[in-house]
């Protein structure tokens, strides 16, 4: 009886919630319509336009006179403008001088921090710490909001297995499951539960879709993949971000299935709106509408605009195509009024949700801006994430952690560069405010214990500094070489045909090796690199990515063992460029490497198949032992669940964190299935000697995929289940999925 009553109560509450939610929605729609009704066609098109201010641009076109456009109602949205004072000035023009008084959206690339810069996104992903990543986005959002911005062009949800592509630095790596969790965490961080809260800003899921798979790793290049791969591997992180409530989506520059994304009805309407149920607005990437002429699907910009509006693009970033051609196309009957009204509705709706109609200056608070930017709490959060993102790739003879008082020689131009610590998309980050790695090492270990010599430039052929660096290194107990890529070598338009460490840095490392002293490589980079030489030369390698404002301190704390490294790679590190693309969820093929035939196997004649460092890999200053896996059942039924448990022990001498990872393999499918797929992970902390169980729950929906007939669902049969500390070194068992 009690149970029935409770069920009824729950149903009633749920109904009431839905009704009140739909009441709220209806009220919102009503408000939007009351504005829309008063607008002229020109003003409507103005809302569908986004122009860059002249502060900071990422592309070739720059619209002059945007302030007049705002005043005339021809521009409803601005990007690349920040500070409370400047955005207030522009907002004032919109709400006090334009006829309709509609407030502006202010967009900006707040990618990994606004003023307080966190590690690059690839770095954050290697923390596998969703709470920390959400917090990072929250801090970035609240600093941006304090600085006049209400819209960030993040998160980038592009899966990539292409280290040549410089934008892997902006993503969460190669895996769709982890990528989805991170995408959702970042949306939650930026948007919170209420877009109208002044601590949150609007997120923008980008680049829709498939931008991370350019052929040959060349930015903006053609993307060509099967629909099955797109749906099962590339789509999930975008979907997760939309499910988490993201209210804007940016198209991508590339073509997919033969159609540029900004003109793809399949992507922007069939997938995004119909399949994923997206309710927000769609903006193009920078002039990507115009670029459809170069792609060769539109004869001129006017036709490109037609393709976009019909595909489902609501807003034109910087291209001036809607501004120039849309009005006439409506008047000529080529574009239905309804299309314009729907697009403007979606944009106005978000402006209402952000609270801009309530108070257009909500995000322009100078006093708050002063208080919040670089606040101690924000710097503390950036330090925390930076430490958690570092991955210990090698540590022979316990070279690390360094001991306080040890004499160390620091070599490498990157060790004194604060600019490089920030990585690409530094937003409002200020490298003059920061301390370098050498500064922080000296502050911790004493001036006289930290000698420095640059040795050579990060990029260049000059070897004249080698001798001085070797003399300095001779005097030290241990050598710390800070090497890798400069910040401008990753990010947009930075594809490389080599993934080696640039210049003569490795040559210097080779010469330092002759001194027979322990060498610690501190590696800064925005992509997986070929480290095959460096791994033989260095005693230890700490991957630090581009760690942000607090990078110098974070590196110091990790090197000296104040923090025990816990990061794990989220992209496979190959042995050589010839192995690319290489990723852990490959297919078995008909001739896998382990069959006995010596020649006719799927392999290289000049390189092993396996990577140098697999997905999920990372060491600690302690060690962990994994017990065998215990399953709650050997048969997983259609509506059931299966629990897989390992007992974890910290077998080393210090407290450490481990990312315990759970993978499955579907052994026989109607289509071929990957050899492993990540299905769960948990980051745990264990004191020396401590042990505890870690349990993963597998439910049938986690095993679904696009089957032979392209329906989405599961197939009964045998599965393998693996648990381990990376995708290679795992315990293994099996279960059956029964229908
Ligand atoms: C990039 C986007 C970015 C936009 C605005 C483009 O070039 O591809 O990721 O958000 O510029 O700055």
């Amino acid at each position: 009886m009690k149970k029935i009553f409770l069920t009824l109560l729950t149903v009633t509450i749920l109904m009431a919630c839905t009704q009140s939610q739909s009441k709220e929605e209806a009220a919102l729609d009503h408000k939007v319509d009351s504005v829309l009704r008063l607008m002229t066609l020109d003003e409507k098109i103005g809302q569908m336009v986004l122009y860059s201010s002249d502060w900071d641009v990422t592309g070739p076109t720059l619209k002059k006179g945007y302030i007049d456009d705002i005043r005339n109602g021809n521009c409803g949205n601005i990007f690349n403008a920040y500070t409370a004072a400047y955005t207030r000035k522009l907002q004032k023009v919109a709400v006090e001088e334009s006829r309709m008084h509609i407030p502006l959206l202010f967009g900006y690339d707040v990618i990994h921090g606004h003023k307080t810069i966190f590690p690059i996104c690839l770095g954050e992903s290697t923390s596998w710490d969703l709470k920390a990543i959400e917090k990072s986005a929250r801090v970035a959002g609240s600093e941006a909001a304090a600085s006049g911005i209400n819209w960030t062009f993040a998160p980038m949800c592009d899966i990539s297995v292409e280290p040549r592509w410089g934008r892997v630095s902006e993503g969460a790596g190669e895996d769709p499951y982890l990528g989805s969790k991170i995408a959702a965490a970042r949306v939650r961080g930026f948007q919170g539960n209420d877009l109208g809260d002044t601590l949150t800003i609007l997120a923008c899921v980008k680049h829709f879709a498939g931008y991370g798979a350019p052929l040959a790793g060349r930015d903006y290049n053609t993307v060509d993949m099967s629909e099955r791969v797109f749906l099962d591997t590339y789509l999930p992180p975008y979907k997760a971000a939309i499910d988490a409530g993201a209210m804007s989506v940016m198209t991508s520059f590339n073509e997919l299935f033969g159609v540029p994304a900004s003109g793809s009805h399949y992507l922007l309407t069939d997938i995004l709106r119909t399949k994923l149920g997206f309710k927000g607005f769609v903006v193009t990437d920078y002039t990507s509408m115009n670029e459809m002429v170069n792609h060769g699907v539109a004869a001129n910009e006017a036709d490109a605009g037609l393709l976009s509006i019909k595909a489902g693009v609501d807003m034109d970033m910087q291209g001036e195509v809607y501004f120039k051609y849309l009005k006439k196309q409506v008047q000529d009957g080529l574009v239905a009024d309804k299309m314009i009204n729907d697009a403007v509705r979606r944009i106005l709706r978000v402006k209402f949700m952000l609270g801009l109609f309530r108070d257009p200056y909500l995000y322009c608070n100078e006093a708050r801006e002063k208080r919040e930017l670089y606040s101690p709490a924000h710097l503390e959060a950036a330090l925390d994430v930076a430490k958690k993102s570092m991955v210990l790739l090698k540590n022979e003879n316990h070279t690390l952690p360094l001991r306080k008082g040890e004499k160390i020689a620091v070599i490498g131009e990157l060790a004194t560069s604060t600019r490089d610590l920030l990585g690409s998309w530094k937003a409002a980050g200020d490298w003059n405010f920061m301390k370098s790695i050498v500064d922080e090492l000296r502050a911790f270990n004493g001036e006289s214990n930290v000698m420095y010599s640059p040795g050579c430039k990060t990029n260049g052929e000059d070897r004249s500094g080698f001798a001085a660096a070797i003399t300095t290194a001779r005097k030290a107990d241990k050598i710390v070489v800070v090497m890798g890529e400069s910040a401008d070598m990753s990010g947009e338009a930075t594809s490389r045909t080599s993934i080696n460490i640039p210049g003569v840095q490795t040559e210097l490392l080779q010469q330092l090796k002759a001194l027979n002293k322990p060498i610690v490589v501190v590696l800064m980079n925005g992509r997986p690199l070929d480290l095959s030489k460096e791994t033989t030369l260095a005693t230890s390698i700490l991957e630090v990515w581009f760690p942000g404002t607090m990078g110098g301190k974070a590196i110091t704390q990790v090197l000296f063992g104040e923090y025990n490294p816990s990061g794990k790679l989220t992209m496979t590190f190959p042995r050589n460029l010839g192995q690319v693309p290489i990723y852990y969820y490959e297919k078995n093929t008909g001739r896998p490497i382990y069959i006995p035939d010596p020649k006719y196997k799927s392999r290289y004649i000049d390189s092993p198949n396996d990577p140098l460092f697999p997905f999920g890999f990372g060491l600690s200053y302690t060690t962990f032992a994994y017990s065998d896996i215990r399953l709650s059942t050997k048969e997983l039924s259609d509506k059931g669940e299966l629990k897989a448990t390992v007992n974890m022990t910290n077998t080393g001498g210090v407290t450490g964190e481990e990312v315990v990872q759970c993978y499955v393999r579907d052994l026989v499918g109607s289509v071929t299935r990957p050899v492993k797929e990540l299905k769960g992970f948990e980051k745990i902390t264990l004191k020396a000697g401590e042990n505890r169980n870690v349990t993963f729950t597998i439910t049938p929906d986690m095993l679904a995929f696009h089957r032979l007939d392209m329906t989405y669902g599961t197939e009964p049969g045998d599965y393998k289940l693996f648990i381990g500390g990376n995708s290679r070194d795992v315990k293994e068992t099996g279960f059956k999925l029964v229908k």
Side-chain angles (χ1 to χ4, degrees):
M1 187 61 195
K2 202 169 161 192
K3 212 168 165 189
I4 295 173
F5 173 73
L6 279 178
T7 317
L8 277 174
L9 189 68
T10 320
V11 170
T12 320
I13 291 172
L14 275 177
M15 276 172 59
C17 285
T18 327
Q19 271 164 12
S20 80
Q21 199 183 357
S22 56
K23 251 194 212 155
E24 267 173 35
E25 297 272 307
L28 182 56
D29 288 343
H30 182 73
K31 284 184 201 163
V32 168
D33 279 335
S34 65
V35 177
L36 191 73
R37 216 174 297 129
L38 304 175
M39 294 171 77
T40 63
L41 180 57
D42 283 313
E43 284 162 342
K44 288 179 187 173
I45 293 170
Q47 289 301 310
M48 299 169 69
V49 158
L50 168 66
Y51 290 139
S52 176
S53 91
D54 39 17
W55 278 30
D56 192 0
V57 283
T58 48
T61 315
L62 185 64
K63 175 83 169 70
K64 299 282 176 219
Y66 60 91
I67 298 191
D68 285 336
D69 290 323
I70 298 172
R71 187 175 293 118
N72 300 333
N74 289 329
C75 169
N77 313 284
I78 289 288
F79 69 122
N80 293 332
Y82 63 87
T83 75
Y86 187 55
T87 52
R88 176 184 289 279
K89 181 178 152 191
L90 298 182
Q91 194 68 296
K92 209 163 167 351
V93 177
V95 298
E96 292 179 28
E97 299 178 35
S98 79
R99 193 187 75 91
M100 280 300 295
H101 317 292
I102 299 176
L104 297 163
L105 281 181
F106 287 103
Y108 196 45
D109 289 282
V110 179
I111 307 299
H112 54 111
H114 177 61
K115 192 82 179 173
T116 305
I117 302 298
F118 285 70
I120 55 166
C121 299
L122 184 61
E124 284 199 349
S125 74
T126 56
S127 74
W128 297 60
D129 187 329
L130 299 175
K131 283 212 173 80
I133 292 171
E134 182 173 335
K135 174 101 185 265
S136 154
R138 176 57 52 88
V139 169
S142 74
E143 283 198 358
S147 219
I149 294 156
N150 43 42
W151 181 22
T152 176
F153 301 140
M156 181 176 110
C157 302
D158 305 319
I159 289 293
S160 189
V161 294
E162 249 309 342
R164 287 173 291 186
W165 190 54
R167 301 198 80 169
V168 295
S169 59
E170 299 172 46
E174 73 189 40
D175 185 61
Y177 177 84
L178 178 62
S180 299
K181 297 279 177 207
I182 290 177
R186 288 170 63 74
V187 170
R188 284 197 303 271
F190 287 128
Q191 291 199 166
N193 298 323
D194 175 10
L195 270 184
D197 183 333
T198 48
L199 292 176
T200 63
I201 56 176
L202 169 66
C204 184
V205 178
K206 71 184 191 187
H207 306 82
F208 199 76
Y211 183 43
L215 288 177
R218 207 177 70 222
D219 206 2
Y220 318 124
N221 200 12
T222 308
V223 172
D224 194 5
M225 65 175 74
S226 71
E227 192 177 9
R228 186 186 310 285
V229 167
F230 172 64
L231 294 175
D232 280 338
T233 307
Y234 285 79
L235 189 62
Y238 306 112
K239 177 181 183 314
I242 288 159
D243 290 346
M247 286 301 284
S248 75
V249 165
M250 187 187 293
T251 65
S252 55
F253 288 121
N254 57 279
E255 67 167 81
L256 185 62
F257 311 123
V259 182
S262 300
S264 171
H265 188 274
Y266 168 78
L267 281 181
L268 304 180
T269 298
D270 301 346
I271 296 283
L272 186 61
R273 295 211 181 274
T274 311
K275 190 180 167 88
L276 304 187
F278 175 61
K279 297 273 186 293
F281 69 85
V282 173
V283 61
T284 61
D285 201 350
Y286 206 108
T287 63
S288 63
M289 201 182 285
N290 318 52
E291 292 166 21
M292 288 198 285
V293 176
N294 288 341
H295 275 286
V297 293
N300 49 49
E301 287 188 349
D303 286 356
L306 267 186
L307 283 178
S308 284
I309 188 80
K310 292 189 173 171
V313 171
D314 303 312
M315 195 185 285
D316 172 6
M317 183 196 289
Q318 194 68 2
E320 295 183 60
V321 177
Y322 280 178
F323 169 69
K324 286 184 186 153
Y325 308 105
L326 204 47
K327 184 176 179 186
K328 182 150 186 335
Q329 288 166 338
V330 174
Q331 287 165 343
D332 291 348
L334 295 172
V335 174
D337 287 333
K338 182 174 179 331
M339 276 191 177
I340 307 290
N341 288 339
D342 285 351
V344 178
R345 254 192 209 104
R346 291 193 277 255
I347 295 162
L348 291 181
R349 218 165 179 272
V350 170
K351 290 189 176 185
F352 270 106
M353 290 168 84
L354 283 165
L356 290 171
F357 280 94
R358 194 173 73 234
D359 176 3
Y361 304 108
L362 203 56
Y363 301 89
C364 315
N365 179 336
E366 283 89 341
R368 175 181 162 206
E369 185 177 31
K370 254 200 201 115
R371 208 170 51 236
E372 274 213 19
L373 303 190
Y374 285 146
S375 76
H378 292 178
L379 293 171
E380 196 52 47
L383 175 65
D384 178 59
V385 183
K387 287 187 288 192
K388 288 175 169 162
S389 70
M390 292 176 188
V391 187
L392 184 62
L393 294 175
K394 180 178 179 188
N395 196 19
E396 224 169 67
N397 307 325
H398 300 287
T399 302
L400 289 177
L402 303 173
R403 281 185 303 278
K404 209 165 179 175
E406 267 183 330
K407 273 208 172 331
I408 57 172
V410 183
I411 311 294
E413 189 188 36
L414 290 169
T416 50
S417 161
T418 49
R419 167 65 191 92
D420 287 293
L421 285 171
L422 295 179
S424 75
W425 293 127
K426 52 154 202 53
D430 178 1
W431 58 89
N432 296 313
F433 168 87
M434 295 161 51
K435 292 215 171 106
S436 71
I437 299 175
V438 167
D439 290 341
E440 291 288 3
L441 286 170
R442 286 190 170 144
F444 186 88
N445 197 36
E447 286 275 327
S448 58
N449 290 326
V450 180
M451 297 164 284
Y452 174 67
S453 179
C456 62
K457 293 219 168 302
T458 311
N459 233 324
E461 298 301 310
D462 187 2
R463 294 166 178 81
S464 60
F466 279 22
I470 288 163
T471 310
T472 306
R474 230 185 268 285
K475 296 183 221 147
D477 301 323
K478 286 179 182 165
I479 308 167
V480 174
V481 186
V482 185
M483 61 194 294
E485 296 180 308
S486 51
D488 57 6
M489 292 183 74
S490 62
E492 188 172 351
T494 58
S495 294
R496 296 183 64 192
T497 59
S498 155
I499 52 168
N500 292 337
I501 292 188
V504 291
Q505 296 178 89
T506 303
E507 213 176 298
L508 176 58
L509 185 65
Q510 211 146 11
Q511 298 200 10
L512 291 167
K513 165 86 173 161
L515 299 178
N516 272 325
K517 291 176 190 270
I519 300 182
V520 176
V521 163
V522 172
L523 190 69
M524 276 166 67
N525 51 315
R527 51 159 62 79
L529 292 174
D530 169 356
L531 300 176
S532 41
K533 275 198 198 129
E534 293 73 15
T535 12
T536 62
L537 299 170
T539 341
S540 301
I541 302 181
L542 181 68
E543 169 64 79
V544 302
W545 311 110
F546 294 109
T549 305
M550 298 303 283
K553 186 171 233 149
I555 291 169
T556 303
Q557 293 192 356
V558 174
L559 289 178
F560 281 93
E562 299 281 298
Y563 179 80
N564 186 353
S566 64
K568 302 269 191 174
L569 296 179
T570 55
M571 282 189 84
T572 305
F573 273 44
R575 292 175 188 276
N576 51 62
L577 187 60
Q579 292 182 316
V580 167
I582 181 169
Y583 45 95
Y584 83 90
Y585 48 87
E586 63 180 4
K587 304 288 187 70
N588 203 35
T589 81
R591 295 187 175 193
I593 188 88
Y594 53 78
I595 59 167
D597 189 305
K599 184 166 166 64
Y600 296 102
K601 296 192 285 197
S602 178
R603 69 179 182 100
Y604 302 101
I605 57 169
D606 58 355
S607 164
N609 278 12
D610 66 334
L612 192 61
F613 298 113
F615 175 86
F617 179 83
L619 302 170
S620 158
Y621 295 151
T622 189
T623 45
F624 298 96
Y626 284 69
S627 75
D628 286 337
I629 305 169
R630 272 183 293 114
L631 293 185
S632 59
T633 170
K634 277 276 184 187
E635 288 201 345
L636 173 59
S637 68
D638 221 11
K639 300 219 159 40
E641 61 175 35
L642 173 152
K643 289 192 184 297
T645 302
V646 281
N647 187 264
M648 300 287 309
T649 310
N650 179 341
T651 46
V654 288
T655 299
E657 289 164 272
E658 171 73 331
V659 181
V660 187
Q661 302 156 41
C662 176
Y663 299 86
V664 299
R665 174 173 177 187
D666 179 355
L667 285 169
V668 181
S670 58
V671 293
T672 58
R673 308 286 295 123
V675 296
K676 275 190 190 113
E677 289 178 285
L678 185 70
K679 293 295 173 190
F681 62 89
E682 193 179 333
K683 192 164 186 172
I684 59 163
T685 306
L686 289 178
K687 295 201 185 86
E690 196 188 350
N691 75 82
R692 68 164 265 207
N693 285 341
V694 175
T695 298
F696 296 99
T697 304
I698 304 287
T699 49
D701 59 299
M702 295 165 78
L703 308 175
F705 63 101
H706 286 87
R707 297 171 290 204
L708 184 61
D709 60 2
M710 290 309 276
T711 56
Y712 186 73
T714 56
E715 288 176 348
D718 288 321
Y719 286 75
K720 280 188 179 175
L721 185 143
F722 316 88
I723 297 179
N726 63 66
S727 60
R728 180 190 59 202
D729 306 310
V730 287
K731 297 282 181 180
E732 180 183 324
T733 182
F735 69 93
K736 210 181 251 308
L737 177 65
V738 290
K739 286 255 178 187

